[in-house]
């Protein structure tokens, strides 16, 4: 199979993770262009992947303003900048990998779906959970009828107190007016996986949730605007920024340190915290997205699902329970463990899912790796049928998110 070339729009955390596949399998994949407004980040990416100077641009408009020079385009810009580059790339004949959410409005999601439909090009939305060995195994068990007819599902997204603070209080996705609601940005993964496992259309949605904790009135007494400005609660506060970025094992493993600075030495990190957004007190930020939310869903096949998103957990993990007419299943994605019990059978079945053996850093329980691998192979084969996450498939998850936000804000049940 020929090696696929790609351009990357947005060399942030997500873009870098997908680009790793060019190091993992250089015979299959090569990055040949990048658009990134942060100069230091752009120059670092150019050096790392050997990109020609003329193909390294400050904006996506500049890069897509050049004649087509690659097979694929990875759209990893900020949420409100997805639609125009995705549509333009399709018009130019690029296959597209599109970071989730597709877009911040239902109208723009449908615009992208219409551009992809009938184009003959692969457009894959980054719903990475469908690609994880964990959820793939659960889907297989359900399709095999092990639990009988599935009637009820409970899914919990344990965001992690530190992940919430980094991404949704101090970070890029902390304000729905400039990015997107928490449910759409963080949990459209969950709406998609629930939809995929249910294999039915969602018909009704209700939701409750709010921003409760990360507010000025909950700040410790005399807490300054920035952690390094002599906070009297530094020793006790779990959100004290220097402790997280310099000591927490997930800060480096999950790429959070690289998100705040390209100089990841101790000195560089502290300098970034002194002046950048990630050094702010979590109780004195410009955030407005919820820190906890529940969503209730009813499907056309009469099955129901409940989803809980909460910031207030130690681990960053997803857990679920599925109840069917012949048995029940519980799963822990972080542990890659699935246990199911068939009624009238004395022994539960325990399954430990194997992770991919890779050289580079990926997240989401192997989903990132399998997503970019399958995208590359679908482009190689020029076969859209291999795509698990087309725009059309992704659309229901987004509609569910928009309906849940409407239900939450208006205190109503939304009919789909």
């Amino acid at each position: 199979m020929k090696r696929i070339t790609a351009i990357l729009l947005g060399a942030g955390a997500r873009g870098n993770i997908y680009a790793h596949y060019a190091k993992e399998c250089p015979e299959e994949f090569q990055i040949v262009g990048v658009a990134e407004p942060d100069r230091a980040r752009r120059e670092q990416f150019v050096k790392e992947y050997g990109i020609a100077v003329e193909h390294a641009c400050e904006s996506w408009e500049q890069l897509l303003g050049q004649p087509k020079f690659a097979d694929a385009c990875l759209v990893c810009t900020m949420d409100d900048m997805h639609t125009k580059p995705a549509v333009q790339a399709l018009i130019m004949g690029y296959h597209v990998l599109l970071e989730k959410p597709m877009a911040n409005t239902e109208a723009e999601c449908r615009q992208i779906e219409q551009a992809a439909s009938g184009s003959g090009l692969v457009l894959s939305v980054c719903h990475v959970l469908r690609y994880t060995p964990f959820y793939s195994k659960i889907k297989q068990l359900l399709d095999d009828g092990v639990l009988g007819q599935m009637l009820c599902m409970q899914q919990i997204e344990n965001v992690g107190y530190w992940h919430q603070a980094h991404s949704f209080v101090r970070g890029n996705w902390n304000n729905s007016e400039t990015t997107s609601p928490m449910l759409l940005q963080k949990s459209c993964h969950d709406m998609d996986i629930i939809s995929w496992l249910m294999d039915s259309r969602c018909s009704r949605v209700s939701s409750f949730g709010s921003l409760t904790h990360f507010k000025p009135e909950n700040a410790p007494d005399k807490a300054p605007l920035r952690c390094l400005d002599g906070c009297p609660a530094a020793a006790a506060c779990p959100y004290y920024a220097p402790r997280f970025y310099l000591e927490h094992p997930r800060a480096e493993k999950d790429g959070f340190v690289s998100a705040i600075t390209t100089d990841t030495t101790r000195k560089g990190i502290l300098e970034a915290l002194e002046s950048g957004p990630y050094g702010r007190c979590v109780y004195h930020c410009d955030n407005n997205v919820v820190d906890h939310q529940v969503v209730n869903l009813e499907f056309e096949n009469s099955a129901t699902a409940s989803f809980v998103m909460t910031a207030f957990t130690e681990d960053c993990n997803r857990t679920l329970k599925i109840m069917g007419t012949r048995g029940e299943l519980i799963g822990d994605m972080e542990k890659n463990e699935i246990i199911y019990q068939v009624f009238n059978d004395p022994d539960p079945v325990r399954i430990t899912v194997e992770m991919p053996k890779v050289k580079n850093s990926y997240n989401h329980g192997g989903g990132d790796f399998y997503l970019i691998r399958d995208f590359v192979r679908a482009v190689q084969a020029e076969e859209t049928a291999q795509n698990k996450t087309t725009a059309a498939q992704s659309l229901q998850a987004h509609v569910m998110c928009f309906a849940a936000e409407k239900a939450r804000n208006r205190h109503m049940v939304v009919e789909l």
Side-chain angles (χ1 to χ4, degrees):
M1 303 292 282
K2 76 165 188 172
R3 180 166 64 175
I4 297 302
T5 57
I7 59 174
L8 173 66
L9 312 184
R14 299 305 300 160
N16 270 279
I17 283 176
Y18 299 132
H20 285 170
Y21 195 72
K23 299 177 182 179
E24 195 77 41
C25 299
E27 72 283 358
E28 288 187 38
F29 192 52
Q30 181 185 8
I31 304 291
V32 295
V34 63
E36 168 56 49
D38 185 295
R39 181 177 178 180
R41 206 178 297 277
R42 183 173 68 250
E43 290 177 351
Q44 183 181 57
F45 194 89
V46 166
K47 182 179 179 181
E48 197 169 347
Y49 290 92
I51 295 170
V53 175
E54 64 270 22
H55 292 155
C57 301
E58 185 176 349
S59 70
W60 70 263
E61 290 93 341
Q62 292 170 338
L63 195 61
L64 290 183
Q66 300 180 18
K68 180 175 180 288
F69 63 95
D71 301 302
C73 176
L74 315 184
V75 180
C76 300
T77 55
M78 292 298 291
D79 300 350
D80 60 348
M81 296 171 60
H82 283 181
T83 305
K84 288 183 179 179
V87 171
Q88 179 62 26
L90 289 167
I91 290 172
M92 295 178 68
Y94 284 102
H95 300 280
V96 173
L97 183 75
L98 177 60
E99 185 52 82
K100 59 81 197 162
M102 291 171 66
N104 285 348
T105 69
E106 184 175 341
E108 289 190 19
C109 289
R110 294 188 182 279
Q111 182 183 351
I112 293 171
E113 192 277 329
Q114 289 169 4
S117 178
S119 68
L121 298 165
V122 176
L123 185 142
S124 186
V125 182
C126 296
H127 289 302
V128 292
L129 297 188
R130 290 196 185 203
Y131 295 85
T132 62
F134 175 78
Y135 279 106
S136 295
K137 183 61 178 180
I138 291 173
K139 176 66 170 173
Q140 177 194 328
L141 292 170
L142 294 176
D143 288 348
D144 288 347
V146 170
L147 303 184
Q149 181 184 358
M150 177 171 50
L151 291 179
C152 189
M153 181 190 305
Q154 297 174 331
Q155 168 108 342
I156 301 176
E157 180 168 16
N158 307 282
V159 177
Y161 73 94
W162 40 272
H163 189 358
Q164 181 82 18
H166 171 81
S167 297
F168 306 104
V169 178
R170 295 175 171 127
N172 289 334
W173 297 281
N174 71 342
N175 194 304
S176 61
E177 294 177 8
T178 56
T179 56
S180 55
M182 181 77 176
L183 187 70
L184 183 65
Q185 207 297 315
K186 186 73 175 77
S187 303
C188 68
H189 280 319
D190 300 271
M191 295 299 103
D192 178 71
I193 206 67
I194 290 171
S195 174
W196 188 50
L197 295 178
M198 282 290 186
D199 196 23
S200 178
R201 280 185 172 275
C202 183
S203 55
R204 293 200 296 174
V205 180
S206 67
S207 183
F208 306 92
S210 64
L211 170 62
T212 302
H213 183 65
F214 299 102
K215 300 164 74 172
E217 56 264 37
N218 294 320
D221 188 39
K222 297 181 181 179
L225 297 181
R226 308 189 68 83
C227 290
L228 287 170
D229 288 347
C231 180
C237 180
Y239 303 103
Y240 184 61
R243 184 180 305 114
F244 173 64
Y245 291 105
L246 292 173
E247 299 177 13
H248 199 290
R250 298 294 287 266
E252 185 173 347
K253 178 184 176 183
D254 288 357
F256 294 131
V257 170
S258 299
I260 71 169
T261 179
T262 55
D263 179 3
T264 56
T265 63
R266 180 182 179 86
K267 180 175 180 290
I269 292 169
L270 288 174
E271 286 178 351
L273 296 180
E274 285 176 357
S275 58
Y278 295 96
R280 295 178 295 173
C281 171
V282 293
Y283 303 102
H284 295 300
C285 290
D286 56 341
N287 57 303
N288 72 355
V289 298
V290 300
D291 52 26
H292 65 291
Q293 186 170 357
V294 297
V295 181
N296 297 308
L297 306 156
E298 185 176 55
F299 290 81
E300 289 181 353
N301 63 1
S302 81
T304 58
S306 64
F307 169 67
V308 175
M309 182 286 299
T310 175
F312 308 107
T313 60
E314 178 69 30
D315 295 324
C316 180
N317 187 22
R318 287 177 168 90
T319 56
L320 83 162
K321 182 174 183 178
I322 298 174
M323 292 142 277
T325 56
R326 293 186 57 212
E328 64 180 0
L329 176 151
I330 59 173
D332 187 310
M333 184 176 166
E334 184 75 8
K335 296 177 182 177
N336 278 309
E337 183 179 78
I338 300 166
I339 303 172
Y340 70 87
Q341 175 78 56
V342 175
F343 301 149
N344 209 34
D345 190 327
D347 299 317
V349 178
R350 297 177 181 270
I351 301 170
T352 300
V353 181
E354 289 190 16
M355 295 294 291
K357 294 177 174 60
V358 294
K359 297 174 288 187
N360 294 280
S361 175
Y362 303 92
N363 292 327
H364 295 106
D368 289 346
F369 168 75
Y370 286 118
L371 168 75
I372 185 64
R373 186 202 68 175
D374 285 12
F375 173 74
V376 169
R377 293 181 179 180
V379 173
Q380 284 175 329
E382 296 186 347
E383 179 53 71
T384 58
Q386 292 187 23
N387 188 1
K388 284 186 182 179
T389 51
T390 65
Q393 291 166 324
S394 178
L395 196 55
Q396 172 166 254
H398 286 75
V399 170
M400 288 158 61
C401 287
F402 295 129
E405 277 302 285
K406 182 178 179 181
R408 183 181 72 85
N409 288 317
R410 299 187 186 182
H411 309 288
M412 62 185 292
V413 175
V414 175
E415 303 274 349
L416 295 186

